[in-house]
Amino acid sequence: MALTPLIAEDGALYQRDRAWHPPAATPGYKSTTLRAPKHALLSLAPTKSEMTGPTFGHGILQPLDNDLIRNYSQDGSEAIGQRIVVYGQVLDENARPVRNTLVEFWQANAGGRYRHKREGYLAALDPNFGGCGRAITDDNGYYHFRTVKPGAYPWPNGGNDWRPAHIHFSVFGTAFAQRLITQMYFEGDPMIWQDPIALSIPDSAAVEQLIARLDRHNTTPMDALAYRFDIVLRGRRSTIFENKMEGN
Amino acid sequence: MLSQPPPLKESPSQTAGPYVHIGMTPSLEGITGPNVKDLGSGPVEAGAGPRISVTGRIFDGSGAPVNDAVIELWQADTDGNHKQAWGRVAVDGTGSFSFDTVKPGRVAGPDGKPMAPHVTLWIVARGINIGLHTRLYFDDETEANAADFVLNRIMDPRRRKTLIAVRSEASGRVTYSLDIRLQGDGETVFFDI
């Protein structure tokens, strides 16, 4: 058998398991109806254009980027709500930590209200809560931030649909083909299983992967509960190379 | 050894939602101050070379503008090297986007031959369950485009033009324009990469 020549110098990624992700069109989430491509996606082995991606140094971070309780404080007061620490590890599919990668997060306030001009929910804005933060993973792939637990809120989809409490995440990885946006839910929340957006994911085991676990051990005593949320990005395949790549 | 299935599953995608701007372009929502800055705004750090604009509008399957998308751009510099040429914009109320960048050079493709100059785009929005990858090519690269392995993978040649931006020039500024159609007539080619 002839050896496959090395094609992409950066190595290939595992094919994305599209059955694990939500399909483009999920009628229960009505906004997808006119925004889902109808043509099949064109399968493309990643080239340098997708196997590379932007990197971000710690220089982009502001001191309070990972503290949503204080990073939008207008009068020195802290944000209102249940104080929590959210932390976790960014890994690839091979269970290797993804180091020095940018993680961005945004969320509603404790009442379920977003600081956004198109948001009309009657719950009050918190003058000291913006709802935006970011972190860069450490050498073991860990990130952490402090925030308040977001509230559930109603949204115009069905006649009376409510989003479960959730935090949005954006993660970069090292290749543009790894780029991912997802949402984190909270352990024990019955609202998850009636949410058209969580249920856009066909496999309940995949939904479970987005549910952060309460972590009593890492609770900050007399201050904040802790939730652990690990994020997995696509990993690189190990292939038959004529010259084995280092570290493979 | 042969490749085994990986031990972990990729985290499933979820829509960026209508409030994506809070996290990705916070200044648009008045979330500013010493502690929060937008990333990827302003001219793309694409190095030396003549500046160009890459513009377009984004439409849904009914032809209505998508006014709440965020688009990221990633590209090579004029020498064909990917360094830090990344940008991020929120579309405006008419679905329009614009990047101030440099026309990229050619990047080697998997067959060893250079691909035609292109930028990679990634689109997220409410109603998009998983970010959409596409490319923008340049209509003044006829020869390179004709030989590009990605464009040639598109079986229906009529669909290739959904990726090819049209050049115009005004007041010495070169602009390449391409509309993105999520669905329906003229649907943009999106990639599973």
Side-chain angles (χ1 to χ4, degrees):
Chain A
M1 175 183 156
L3 289 175
T4 309
L6 177 58
I7 294 177
E9 68 175 21
D10 298 319
L13 293 170
Y14 293 108
Q15 185 181 349
R16 200 161 227 167
D17 182 355
R18 294 273 168 182
W20 191 250
H21 291 282
T26 49
Y29 173 25
K30 292 179 181 174
S31 293
T32 66
T33 302
L34 288 171
R35 294 184 170 195
K38 291 217 164 128
H39 285 271
L41 299 177
L42 180 64
S43 291
L44 186 64
T47 71
K48 267 191 179 170
S49 298
E50 297 85 21
M51 292 302 293
T52 55
T55 54
F56 301 91
H58 288 265
I60 65 151
L61 295 182
Q62 311 301 313
L64 297 178
D65 265 355
N66 70 342
D67 186 359
L68 280 67
I69 290 180
R70 289 170 61 215
N71 72 8
Y72 191 73
S73 177
Q74 303 300 298
D75 60 8
S77 305
E78 300 197 331
I80 294 169
Q82 163 141 50
R83 300 159 72 84
I84 60 172
V85 170
V86 177
Y87 83 101
Q89 202 176 13
V90 181
L91 301 159
D92 68 18
E93 288 170 286
N94 296 314
R96 294 188 184 118
V98 182
R99 303 179 174 92
N100 299 316
T101 200
L102 178 66
V103 182
E104 300 169 292
F105 20 86
W106 65 96
Q107 63 169 87
N109 70 19
R113 173 76 186 264
Y114 283 95
R115 184 171 289 282
H116 193 284
K117 56 182 174 289
R118 293 201 186 107
E119 154 75 294
Y121 182 35
L122 52 77
L125 281 169
D126 176 348
N128 295 308
F129 187 75
C132 161
R134 50 180 80 110
I136 291 177
T137 57
D138 68 15
D139 283 348
N140 295 312
Y142 282 93
Y143 70 90
H144 65 97
F145 61 98
R146 193 166 76 143
T147 186
V148 293
K149 190 174 180 187
Y153 60 86
W155 61 298
N157 183 64
N160 185 21
D161 283 339
W162 289 69
R163 293 299 326 278
H166 64 277
I167 299 177
H168 296 264
F169 279 75
S170 151
V171 195
F172 280 79
T174 56
F176 210 52
Q178 291 175 301
R179 196 78 181 80
L180 181 73
I181 281 183
T182 190
Q183 300 182 27
M184 180 199 109
Y185 303 101
F186 290 85
E187 180 177 6
D189 185 352
M191 304 286 288
I192 298 165
W193 305 103
Q194 51 159 43
D195 173 37
I197 290 179
L199 298 183
S200 67
I201 299 169
D203 187 332
S204 63
V207 177
E208 292 280 356
Q209 198 178 352
L210 299 183
I211 302 176
R213 305 297 158 187
L214 177 66
D215 180 354
R216 290 282 283 118
H217 180 70
N218 278 298
T219 294
T220 312
M222 305 306 285
D223 183 345
L225 286 175
Y227 283 88
R228 178 170 181 144
F229 182 56
D230 292 343
I231 300 167
V232 181
L233 302 179
R234 297 170 73 188
R236 290 169 195 271
R237 290 164 55 93
S238 195
T239 326
I240 302 168
F241 292 113
E242 286 182 313
N243 298 303
K244 204 151 177 69
M245 290 175 77
E246 241 182 74
N248 221 7
Chain B
M1 62 180 253
L2 289 170
S3 197
Q4 302 293 320
L8 299 180
K9 299 292 288 184
E10 185 187 11
S11 297
S13 172
Q14 292 272 263
T15 180
Y19 309 126
V20 56
H21 313 96
I22 295 171
M24 295 177 69
T25 57
S27 72
L28 293 185
E29 300 308 323
I31 302 171
T32 56
N35 298 316
V36 187
K37 285 194 169 62
D38 289 6
L39 292 178
S41 60
V44 176
E45 291 174 33
R51 304 297 301 188
I52 61 167
S53 295
V54 167
T55 67
R57 295 179 70 195
I58 176 166
F59 298 96
D60 73 12
S62 73
V66 172
N67 63 10
D68 52 8
V70 169
I71 303 180
E72 290 185 357
L73 168 149
W74 173 241
Q75 65 165 79
D77 60 19
T78 54
D79 297 326
N81 297 314
H82 286 90
K83 288 185 176 150
Q84 199 59 18
W86 172 77
R88 173 190 277 172
V89 297
V91 300
D92 68 13
T94 67
S96 297
F97 62 90
S98 181
F99 291 97
D100 171 354
T101 186
V102 164
K103 192 173 171 189
R106 301 184 73 170
V107 176
D111 54 2
K113 286 189 271 186
M115 296 185 281
H118 63 275
V119 303
T120 299
L121 299 175
W122 187 69
I123 301 154
V124 295
R126 167 179 69 88
I128 295 178
N129 282 335
I130 180 166
L132 296 168
H133 282 277
T134 187
R135 285 185 177 192
L136 179 148
Y137 287 84
F138 301 90
D139 74 339
D140 53 358
E141 298 283 349
T142 316
E143 209 171 299
N145 289 344
D148 182 83
F149 103 101
V150 172
L151 289 173
N152 284 315
R153 287 285 308 281
I154 302 169
M155 301 300 278
D156 180 349
R158 293 170 303 178
R159 298 200 70 214
R160 289 176 197 156
K161 67 173 188 286
T162 69
L163 303 187
I164 299 175
V166 176
R167 185 185 193 278
S168 63
E169 190 169 349
S171 316
R173 180 78 183 180
V174 175
T175 297
Y176 293 90
S177 297
L178 180 70
D179 288 342
I180 294 166
R181 296 179 193 281
L182 297 179
Q183 185 191 88
D185 287 345
E187 183 177 306
T188 298
V189 174
F190 298 105
F191 299 117
D192 186 12
I193 49 173

